[in-house]
Amino acid sequence: MRDNGEFERFAAAQLSGLLRPAYYLTGDMDLAQDLVQATLVKMYGAWARLKPDVDRVAYARTVLVNVYRDHIRGERRLRNTLLRKASQPSFGAGVIDVGERDYQRELLLQLAPKQRAVIVLRFLEDLSIQETADCLGVTPGTVKSQTADALRALRTAIAGVGGAHE
């Protein structure tokens, strides 16, 4: 019989840590929760096969990004879903106002999915270039070029509204 206690403790400890990047990748709390659930299901299936030296947090983050990538490949309607306005709980309550958070979310959603993933992992999750590359299954050079392209697109979008928003 399988002992689920270790996995349950891991899942409980990582839930919010996985939900944050999932939300920033998708812009939709319901979809983010679905991705985290799918990630934890995949982690549960692999749990017994993971060797003791495997960084389970990094592995879970990689699984999350792969679940996200699978979702965007299979769902052409994702963009419409992501653009839907919904009241979402704030991760940084008191740090930034709701209008600013929504503005930043809309800017992120204008990026291509790969660029959005790089920005979320590099700047919101504070991963290194190598960690981001490992998580996305790409080279560090790809992370650098996707980051540069994303930042250029964000600067253009901000300049397009005169740098101000309401």
Side-chain angles (χ1 to χ4, degrees), residues 13-111:
Q14 293 305 310
L15 187 61
S16 64
L18 291 171
L19 188 57
R20 184 172 184 251
Y23 174 74
Y24 282 116
L25 286 168
T26 65
D28 181 292
M29 184 57 77
D30 293 329
L31 180 56
Q33 290 170 337
D34 289 346
L35 293 180
V36 170
Q37 181 177 1
T39 298
L40 291 174
V41 167
K42 287 182 180 285
M43 284 292 298
Y44 180 77
W47 194 258
R49 294 187 310 269
L50 295 177
K51 295 184 178 174
D53 63 336
V54 170
D55 181 346
R56 285 165 163 65
V57 174
Y59 187 87
R61 191 180 301 122
T62 299
V63 171
L64 173 67
V65 171
N66 287 334
V67 167
Y68 166 69
R69 290 163 74 184
D70 290 345
H71 177 77
I72 59 173
R73 278 188 210 109
E75 294 289 330
R76 292 186 185 264
R77 296 173 306 212
L78 177 62
R79 181 124 177 105
N80 293 335
T81 302
L82 295 175
L83 294 176
R84 222 178 7 163
K85 285 271 192 185
S87 60
Q88 307 292 343
S90 175
F91 288 105
V95 175
I96 101 176
D97 67 33
V98 173
E100 179 68 18
R101 185 193 70 216
D102 286 345
Y103 173 68
Q104 291 173 0
R105 180 173 138 306
E106 291 301 321
L107 286 173
L108 277 174
L109 294 175
Q110 291 176 25
L111 296 175

Side-chain angles (χ1 to χ4, degrees), residues 6-17 40:
E6 184 183 1
F7 175 77
E8 288 172 4
R9 286 188 294 279
F10 172 82
Q14 293 305 310
L15 187 61
S16 64
L40 291 174

Side-chain angles (χ1 to χ4, degrees), residues 146-166:
Q146 288 289 323
T147 301
D149 293 345
L151 292 175
R152 188 172 24 264
L154 289 171
R155 284 186 200 102
T156 301
I158 291 168
V161 293
H165 63 278
E166 296 296 322

